[in-house]
Amino acid sequence: MNGHHQALALALFSAFVAVTLAITTWVSRKRHGSAEEFYAGGRLFSPMENGFALSGDYLSAASFLGVTGLIALFGYDGLLYVVGFLVAWLVVLFFVAELVRNCGRFTLADVVAARMRERPVRIAAGTSSVTVSILYLVAQMVGAGSLVALLLGGTGEAARSWTVIGVGALMVVYVSFGGMRATTWIQIVKSVLMLGGTVVLTVLVLLRFHGNVDDLLRTATDRSGHGKAFLAPGLKYGGGWTARADFVSLGLALVLGTAGLPHILSRFFTVPTARAARRSVVWSVGLIGGFYLMTIVLGFGAAALVGPEALKKSDASGNTAVPLLALDLGGGADTTGGTVLFAVVAAVAFATILAVVAGITLTSSASVAHDLYAALRRPGGRQRGEVGVARVAAVGIGVVAIALGLLARDLNVAFLVGLAFAVAASANLPVLMYTLFWRGFTTRGAVWAVYGGLVPAVLLVVLSPVVSGSPDSLFPGVDLQYFPLRNPGIVSIPLGFLAGWLGTVTSAEPPDEAKHAETEVRSLTGAGAV
């Protein structure tokens, strides 16, 4: 990247950071320090505002950059990611949004604890939520280190390290001082920027091909090097039974994991009613669906205009497809148009990372303070306020994320996002579904469902080719590979549901019929909802 690119990208980065810090400062003056204000923004957001924030929470740098790169390199098989990410929201819309909003207060553990013994359930659900959040967070931090440093032209260790530290420090400031209200407005600003930038790039790609989609697909196929196989299934996931099973496993994790992601669930508590929560999801489905339709155009546009050779030369996994496409659409390197578009994409990518890490940090600090601290503190002693604990937890989580991001900055961390989805689908979704829909569910079943999904998911990844046993593993010199798949979802998700059932049927504790009836009425009607 030349000096003009760097200067313009830095100016846009600085403008976004200045705007978001101004939002945080403005909100910190207005807040009252209550738990409801810090965790849920006072439940004052409209469905449209929350829909934009939900889409901002969900559309991470992996969506903006990774999905486009996969389509550019693998054609049809890259489209399968788009389907998985989008279909997941139907599960959220029909089974989760309204019911969770009516039954909970701030976190997933609130929903489960409504009809179970609180202490063991809060410890289990809080541990799972923090684990998912940390995995998601580390992936974003490492992405920040490598991606932003690359876009700014600094690929050395120092540039990446300072980028990780800077992103970590900013997210701690956003969460500690602004809470949910500041985080939500940052998500809204980021969502508008990302959708606006994507619309501009999509229009430019279509104009380049005079609106002829057939011509776009034909050119992309010709330049792909794979011929007609580029538009047929099997290019990435057709190499044998393990590849196909891996795809099914990843698809299960993506489709089912979204409904168990803590930072997505916490969004439903920022609106005043269950109806508003459902309308928020409708807004987010529209925004996310439109975004992913545009990434299809951008992916095939990158294949047609930039070419897979140039993409792989810049980044083997295709993560730089969107910036390189923007550079080409603007007129090429060292042109004013190319410089402007390239810098805008770089700024949007940075905004994406900052917004997502802020949302995840807030959710994980809420789980620490509202669930773990509340369950483990000694009754009768001098206690700190929950909001104070959450702010301290945000600092601690920020430090942990920075440390892990620095340690993992040279590793392939694409598996972390998939693992976060797999853990959410294996541990959080079973306990949520059983709590909402199974009359006979017990406390032991809830605890077993969480740990029965969480432990196998993490253990299977440790024993998979992701960690050891192959040249592209995290530790290629070690061989602990006993599980052939890279994503554990196909095994760990059924184990989570099985463990919840087994814990319930072997429990000596009878199910609380009265609490189930109360939860059922509350979830369906909203009577008694906070």
Side-chain angles (χ1 to χ4, degrees):
M1 183 190 279
N2 60 33
H4 294 295
H5 285 90
Q6 290 182 352
L8 187 54
L10 282 171
L12 290 170
F13 288 171
S14 302
F16 178 79
V17 172
V19 169
T20 52
L21 287 176
I23 291 171
T24 304
T25 304
W26 172 66
V27 170
S28 67
R29 291 176 178 173
K30 292 177 175 291
R31 63 174 175 77
H32 304 292
S34 67
E36 187 174 14
E37 176 69 31
F38 186 80
Y39 296 142
R43 309 189 201 279
L44 299 175
F45 291 102
S46 69
M48 185 182 74
E49 291 168 345
N50 199 46
F52 271 89
L54 268 170
S55 63
D57 254 328
Y58 192 66
L59 298 175
S60 66
S63 297
F64 185 51
L65 303 170
V67 171
T68 307
L70 285 169
I71 295 172
L73 294 179
F74 300 106
Y76 180 92
D77 279 12
L79 293 177
L80 298 175
Y81 277 80
V82 172
V83 175
F85 281 130
L86 187 55
V87 169
W89 282 91
L90 298 180
V91 179
V92 177
L93 177 61
F94 291 121
F95 295 105
V96 174
E98 268 191 281
L99 306 182
V100 166
R101 174 61 189 87
N102 282 336
C103 290
R105 190 175 175 218
F106 302 127
T107 64
L108 166 67
D110 289 335
V111 180
V112 184
R115 52 175 293 204
M116 308 293 175
R117 285 187 287 117
E118 283 208 31
R119 183 182 171 89
V121 163
R122 285 197 180 277
I123 292 173
T127 300
S128 174
S129 295
V130 172
T131 302
V132 173
S133 298
I134 290 292
L135 289 171
Y136 215 105
L137 199 56
V138 171
Q140 298 297 319
M141 297 294 286
V142 175
S146 58
L147 174 64
V148 178
L150 175 66
L151 292 174
L152 290 176
T155 56
E157 299 299 321
R160 286 195 281 177
S161 298
W162 282 110
T163 302
V164 170
I165 293 170
V167 170
L170 281 171
M171 77 182 187
V172 170
V173 171
Y174 293 149
V175 174
S176 298
F177 292 97
M180 178 59 85
R181 189 170 294 185
T183 302
T184 299
W185 281 109
I186 291 167
Q187 295 287 10
I188 292 171
V189 171
K190 166 257 175 139
S191 188
V192 170
L193 284 175
M194 174 180 278
L195 290 167
T198 308
V199 167
V200 170
L201 292 178
T202 302
V203 169
L204 290 175
V205 169
L206 293 175
L207 286 175
R208 182 70 67 92
F209 290 92
H210 308 289
N212 191 330
V213 177
D214 285 343
D215 193 20
L216 167 62
L217 295 177
R218 193 179 305 111
T219 307
T221 302
D222 292 340
R223 292 202 65 181
S224 69
H226 299 290
K228 292 183 179 179
F230 188 67
L231 298 180
L235 195 59
K236 182 174 174 63
Y237 295 105
W241 75 267
T242 52
R244 296 180 186 188
D246 226 342
F247 175 72
V248 173
S249 187
L250 178 63
L252 282 172
L254 295 181
V255 171
L256 299 177
T258 300
L261 289 175
H263 63 290
I264 297 297
L265 293 175
S266 67
R267 280 266 153 235
F268 301 131
F269 304 122
T270 64
V271 289
T273 64
R275 182 170 181 268
R278 185 179 67 251
R279 290 175 61 199
S280 297
V281 177
V282 173
W283 270 98
S284 64
V285 168
L287 295 169
I288 292 167
F291 171 81
Y292 280 123
L293 285 175
M294 290 187 287
T295 61
I296 296 174
V297 176
L298 297 185
F300 285 116
L305 299 175
V306 181
E309 295 82 9
L311 292 177
K312 291 178 182 177
K313 184 178 179 181
S314 174
D315 185 290
S317 59
N319 286 332
T320 54
V322 175
L324 292 177
L325 176 63
L327 195 61
D328 185 278
L329 291 172
D334 301 323
T335 64
T336 301
T339 299
V340 170
L341 272 181
F342 190 97
V344 167
V345 168
V348 169
F350 187 62
T352 298
I353 290 169
L354 278 182
V356 171
V357 297
I360 299 169
T361 304
L362 177 62
T363 301
S364 51
S365 66
S367 293
V368 170
H370 187 63
D371 298 329
L372 297 177
Y373 173 75
L376 295 173
R377 65 187 177 187
R378 295 178 181 177
R382 182 176 179 273
Q383 310 294 347
R384 267 188 95 149
E386 254 190 41
V387 174
V389 174
R391 290 198 174 97
V392 173
V395 176
I397 289 165
V399 171
V400 170
I402 290 171
L404 292 176
L406 292 174
L407 288 173
R409 64 179 180 267
D410 295 323
L411 303 180
N412 179 357
V413 295
F415 81 98
L416 281 174
V417 171
L419 178 58
F421 274 82
V423 172
S426 304
N428 292 349
L429 186 66
V431 72
L432 186 59
M433 292 293 103
Y434 281 148
T435 299
L436 293 173
F437 300 111
W438 187 11
R439 182 181 300 274
F441 200 41
T442 64
T443 301
R444 176 191 279 187
V447 173
W448 282 28
V450 173
Y451 293 128
L454 176 64
V455 174
V458 175
L459 184 61
L460 289 176
V461 168
V462 171
L463 301 178
S464 76
V466 167
V467 173
S468 66
S470 64
D472 59 344
S473 298
L474 299 182
F475 304 104
V478 182
D479 190 0
L480 296 173
Q481 181 185 335
Y482 296 100
F483 181 67
L485 306 183
R486 291 178 174 270
N487 191 286
I490 198 171
V491 175
S492 59
I493 295 172
L495 283 178
F497 280 97
L498 177 63
W501 172 82
L502 191 61
T504 297
V505 298
T506 60
S507 175
E509 170 196 5
D512 193 325
E513 297 283 347
K515 282 190 176 180
H516 172 266
E518 181 184 342
T519 302
E520 188 174 37
V521 171
R522 181 173 168 183
S523 67
L524 295 175
T525 67
V530 178

